[in-house]
Amino acid sequence: MKKVKEPETKQIKYKASAPNTVFVTLNTIFMILFVIVTLYPVLNTLAISFNDGTDALRGGIHLIPRSWTLKNYTTVFQKNNLVTGTVVSVARTVIGTLTALAANALLAFIVSRKRFLFRKQLSLFWVITMYVNGGLIPVFLLYKNLGLTNSFWVYIVPGMVSAFNMLVIRTYMEGIPESLEESAQLDGAGYMTIFTKIISPLCKPVYATVALFSAVGQWNSWFDAMLYNRMSDEYTTLQYELMKLLSSVTSQGASAESMKNAASAAGAVTPASVRAAATIVTMLPIVCLYPFLQRYFVTGMTIGGVKE
Amino acid sequence: MTEGSPWQNKDHETDSQSAMKAETVCFRNYRKIRVRYFAAVPDDKREVIMTGKTKKVSVPGQTKKITWKEIRRQKILLIWAAAFVIYGFIFCYLPLGGWVMAFQNYKPKDGLLGSQFVGLAKFQQLFSDATFLRVIRNTLAMGVLNLASTFIMAIVFAILLNEIRTTWWKKSIQTISYLPHFLSWIIVTGILHDVLSTSGIINELLVKAGILDNAINFFAHPKYFWWIVAFANVWKETGWNAIIYLSAITSIDPSLYEAAAIDGAGRWAKIRNITLPGIRPTIMILLLMNVGNVLNAGFEVQYLLGNGLVQSVSQTIDIYVLKWGISQGDYSMGTAAGIFKSVVSIILIVMANQIAKRTGEESLF
């Protein structure tokens, strides 16, 4: 069914006929608009984060700050809960990604062994979880009973296995010739040796994909912090703190007056400008990393999207 | 393939090249495996490695019978599998047992076993609640709107991007298009608040263009809310969703385009007659997968963007569950609403799948 992409050697030369030129022009305009719509809001936030808070209230800041300041950023890093949030976010991203990767890889290894006796059943057991889940309240009660609420581990343990990520790895592992496993077994290697020494080194690209998926998920999630760890400030996350900042800004209303009052009390920063700075801090790690990881998530999406 | 694997035979290269392409990444790494493993591979199997047709050849040789010998051989796999089943049972299947709560007047102090059984009373209460009916409408409307808009935009974007011939321009647009997907909903909604605020860029442009006399607060009017949510979804996911379509487009046989060019087809004709039919199976599969998610389409955005003024259009089933279950402590009511959502989702998936099968399209199962 699937044709393999052939090298693009022959580029067809198009005659510059009238409809073709129209098409190219319209397409270019569309793409330029697309880029502007995508980038402008982000760049605008960046500009506001470097702009004096009170000054920003006058409006009219687009891409370049009017009066430069770093105060918004220093305010962000002076806020204790934001610092705690950063530490927790980094910790959950690192630990969560590593444990999830190990669990998904091991499970995928088991269900991709052709000789494994319960291969079909174990696969089905996990695929079902993609479609059926208990829902918010039973899950909430379960975590409460397991003692996972008000604890750091609620970020790590429940989400360790994801059927989708497991299927991505499984599909990749199934492409590895079985003879490798057989010949290793002839040499006396056990399954765990085969997993760690033979299969895993071959799976580095797909491991990178899955690690990226779960790292992004961990870094960006806020709902679990709000639902399970609302009462314990020591387990707050950066995203949740950002959410609190957002709701404080919007609930203070659109009235610029109240913001100006807040601004004069807090110096040259306003809730809006601090939020802009916190937003930039939150998005920075991912924005810096993702362009270099493109080929990994593109392969991951194409493997995972079509299968099951 | 520029780098040859150590066992690769030159004669076979052209033959097996296309088959191996799909697994290029994986094959590239075989160099790192010590050669001695290949010494142990019998000659006919070596052929198999090179043509990449392992599955077909090796499966018939194996019969899966549960014997003590086999169990002992796979002991370690079975132990780990058992661990995963226990884990999955606790975290994925045990909550399903909590569905019992929907048929009870659940009191935390009485527990699941001691609470009074009330049958379908909670469901009756649910469907006589005008709010819940409105919530269903909101969820469906926003789900369908989001699905349609993100779907169409992703396909259009993929096709148009594919028409760009300048490589650096194409690559940069693609990279930029992924950016919003990596931002959390917190950030996206925060940005939306800025952009759509009374002093934001949208109001500024509309006033300057003379469309509006005065800036309006978009978040204060229920009539805009669904469109704002749809736009937010399009903004965030267009580039990401286009990945699959782009890879489907690149797998279309280029000779088709050449033949069409000889016949004098313009770009538009090629898109309509080659590209679109070429990615049709992909479109169908993704549509099927997403139909089941229509009811899942509403939590984070609506929760973060909603406010008292637009409550009547912003509340979705998930928010309703959260409100009843966690804030008001009526676990039974919340669970009943959750069950309703799950059941409708499953019905939707099965229905979509049946329709796809009937019309001879690809189907999920």
Side-chain angles (χ1 to χ4, degrees):
Chain A
M1 181 191 99
K2 261 185 276 171
K3 275 261 176 180
V4 179
K5 188 192 163 193
E6 292 200 5
E8 294 166 34
T9 41
K10 282 175 240 164
Q11 279 284 355
I12 308 144
K13 287 268 182 294
Y14 292 99
K15 267 184 255 159
S17 57
N20 207 357
T21 331
V22 173
F23 183 92
V24 172
T25 319
L26 286 179
N27 197 6
T28 314
I29 293 173
F30 173 83
M31 287 301 165
I32 290 173
L33 275 178
F34 181 88
V35 168
I36 292 175
V37 171
T38 308
L39 283 186
Y40 175 81
V42 178
L43 294 176
N44 182 240
T45 311
L46 187 66
I48 290 176
S49 77
F50 279 110
N51 198 71
D52 186 273
T54 342
D55 178 64
L57 289 176
R58 290 199 287 128
I61 293 172
H62 297 296
L63 295 177
I64 298 157
R66 200 161 36 211
S67 76
W68 285 82
T69 176
L70 283 174
K71 234 184 180 146
N72 299 319
Y73 286 92
T74 49
T75 317
V76 166
F77 289 112
Q78 275 159 9
K79 287 194 181 226
N80 276 333
N81 46 2
L82 279 171
V83 175
T84 322
T86 312
V87 173
V88 174
S89 280
V90 170
R92 70 176 283 183
T93 305
V94 173
I95 301 172
T97 305
L98 290 178
T99 51
L101 182 61
N104 283 316
L106 184 56
L107 182 58
F109 174 76
I110 296 172
V111 296
S112 61
R113 290 314 93 196
K114 296 225 164 57
R115 285 186 75 157
F116 180 59
L117 295 169
F118 305 105
R119 188 172 174 221
K120 283 248 164 64
Q121 293 87 331
L122 189 62
S123 244
L124 186 67
F125 179 86
W126 283 103
V127 169
I128 289 175
T129 64
M130 280 169 73
Y131 295 101
V132 190
N133 62 66
L136 186 72
I137 290 164
V139 169
F140 178 82
L141 289 178
L142 175 73
Y143 292 177
K144 213 169 158 185
N145 288 330
L146 290 176
L148 282 172
T149 48
N150 297 321
S151 106
F152 176 73
W153 298 107
V154 75
Y155 302 137
I156 311 292
V157 179
M160 222 151 59
V161 177
S162 127
F164 177 83
N165 287 345
M166 186 274 280
L167 289 177
V168 171
I169 303 181
R170 190 193 73 177
T171 310
Y172 196 91
M173 282 179 173
E174 279 170 350
I176 297 172
E178 220 184 326
S179 6
L180 281 182
E181 180 190 327
E182 285 164 13
S183 42
Q185 276 173 341
L186 287 180
D187 277 8
Y191 274 112
M192 284 301 119
T193 321
I194 295 173
F195 173 58
T196 51
K197 296 270 163 61
I198 295 172
I199 303 294
S200 288
L202 293 175
C203 286
K204 269 184 205 151
V206 76
Y207 284 0
T209 308
V210 168
L212 177 76
F213 284 166
S214 38
V216 171
Q218 286 281 4
W219 182 259
N220 279 347
S221 83
W222 54 277
F223 186 60
D224 43 13
M226 185 181 94
L227 196 58
Y228 307 120
N229 285 339
R230 188 196 285 268
M231 303 299 171
S232 25
D233 281 338
E234 68 266 40
Y235 302 124
T236 183
T237 66
L238 195 50
Q239 300 284 350
Y240 183 42
E241 287 305 317
L242 193 60
M243 187 218 149
K244 286 195 231 165
L245 269 179
L246 171 72
S247 48
S248 75
V249 172
T250 46
S251 65
Q252 269 183 1
S255 96
E257 267 325 296
S258 68
M259 282 208 204
K260 264 181 194 144
N261 294 338
S264 53
V269 298
T270 59
S273 66
V274 172
R275 186 173 60 79
T279 304
I280 297 297
V281 171
T282 313
M283 69 166 83
L284 202 64
I286 288 179
V287 171
C288 291
L289 280 178
Y290 89 89
F292 305 101
L293 301 168
Q294 267 186 61
R295 74 189 173 96
Y296 293 122
F297 59 74
V298 170
T299 47
M301 280 298 284
T302 30
I303 299 176
V306 194
K307 266 259 168 174
E308 265 160 311
Chain B
M1 285 251 302
T2 44
E3 25 193 337
S5 310
W7 70 94
Q8 196 169 342
N9 186 333
K10 272 268 150 51
D11 299 344
H12 287 83
E13 200 172 338
T14 42
D15 245 54
S16 57
Q17 209 164 25
S18 64
M20 289 178 71
K21 265 256 163 77
E23 289 167 5
T24 309
V25 204
C26 138
F27 270 88
R28 206 179 282 154
N29 287 302
Y30 290 155
R31 281 205 301 187
K32 291 171 195 158
I33 301 292
R34 271 162 295 162
V35 184
R36 70 193 176 103
Y37 285 126
F38 293 102
V41 179
D43 278 0
D44 55 326
K45 280 275 171 60
R46 233 177 273 177
E47 173 75 20
V48 166
I49 297 180
M50 281 182 284
T51 49
K53 285 176 190 158
T54 41
K55 283 174 207 163
K56 281 166 203 155
V57 182
S58 51
V59 168
Q62 289 178 2
T63 45
K64 274 210 273 183
K65 271 204 186 126
I66 304 181
T67 56
W68 279 115
K69 193 178 157 218
E70 197 58 30
I71 289 176
R72 224 171 305 131
R73 217 180 72 88
Q74 307 186 349
K75 198 173 75 186
I76 186 78
L77 289 188
L78 289 166
I79 293 172
W80 276 109
F84 277 112
V85 169
I86 293 170
Y87 171 87
F89 178 76
I90 294 175
F91 286 102
C92 303
Y93 287 85
L94 208 55
L96 292 177
W99 281 15
V100 177
M101 279 188 292
F103 305 97
Q104 292 175 331
N105 203 353
Y106 180 78
K107 296 259 166 25
K109 65 172 166 38
D110 297 335
L112 267 188
L113 299 173
S115 292
Q116 181 203 358
F117 187 78
V118 293
L120 293 174
K122 286 287 166 188
F123 286 93
Q124 267 166 8
Q125 194 187 337
L126 198 62
F127 286 106
S128 54
D129 182 5
T131 319
F132 186 66
L133 299 178
R134 205 166 53 218
V135 161
I136 295 176
R137 180 204 64 182
N138 294 345
T139 314
L140 272 177
M142 278 187 271
V144 171
L145 206 60
N146 288 347
L147 178 64
S149 51
T150 50
F151 221 73
I152 293 168
M153 266 309 281
I155 296 170
V156 169
F157 179 73
I159 290 175
L160 290 182
L161 190 66
N162 190 55
E163 294 296 320
I164 294 177
R165 302 276 174 247
T166 329
T167 317
W168 68 266
W169 174 224
K170 188 174 169 178
K171 282 252 146 46
S172 344
I173 296 175
Q174 216 172 344
T175 307
I176 291 169
S177 76
Y178 300 145
L179 170 75
H181 173 79
F182 291 101
L183 306 180
S184 67
W185 274 116
I186 309 271
I187 293 179
V188 174
T189 50
I191 283 174
L192 263 178
H193 267 289
D194 288 345
V195 169
L196 292 173
S197 72
T198 39
S199 57
I201 181 85
I202 300 287
N203 268 313
E204 199 180 320
L205 288 177
L206 288 177
V207 170
K208 264 189 193 150
I211 298 169
L212 289 178
D213 295 331
N214 282 309
I216 50 171
N217 183 4
F218 287 98
F219 291 103
H221 299 283
K223 60 180 169 183
Y224 298 123
F225 190 80
W226 291 352
W227 298 103
I228 294 175
V229 172
F231 174 75
N233 276 293
V234 167
W235 187 79
K236 195 169 186 287
E237 304 297 349
T238 296
W240 184 256
N241 291 344
I243 293 179
I244 289 181
Y245 300 115
L246 277 169
S247 79
I249 291 173
T250 47
S251 66
I252 295 173
D253 189 351
S255 60
L256 290 176
Y257 290 101
E258 285 162 34
I262 292 167
D263 285 350
R267 291 223 195 178
W268 179 239
K270 282 183 205 155
I271 289 173
R272 213 179 41 206
N273 298 317
I274 301 171
T275 314
L276 272 178
I279 60 173
R280 194 184 149 106
T282 316
I283 295 179
M284 287 312 294
I285 284 273
L286 287 180
L287 194 60
L288 279 180
M289 287 169 74
N290 285 317
V291 162
N293 275 330
V294 161
L295 292 188
N296 281 329
F299 177 68
E300 288 183 79
V301 213
Q302 288 85 345
Y303 185 83
L304 293 167
L305 284 180
N307 57 56
L309 293 170
V310 293
Q311 212 178 17
S312 61
V313 291
S314 74
Q315 275 206 345
T316 62
I317 297 180
D318 288 322
I319 296 177
Y320 185 86
V321 170
L322 186 73
K323 209 180 100 189
W324 273 97
I326 308 294
S327 316
Q328 314 245 1
D330 190 340
Y331 292 144
S332 296
M333 196 73 165
T335 310
I339 291 178
F340 171 76
K341 197 189 98 173
S342 293
V343 170
V344 174
S345 291
I346 291 169
I347 292 174
L348 282 177
I349 294 183
V350 173
M351 257 169 49
N353 201 52
Q354 286 301 322
I355 293 172
K357 263 189 190 161
R358 273 264 166 90
T359 50
E361 295 285 352
E362 307 254 344
S363 60
L364 279 180
F365 41 82

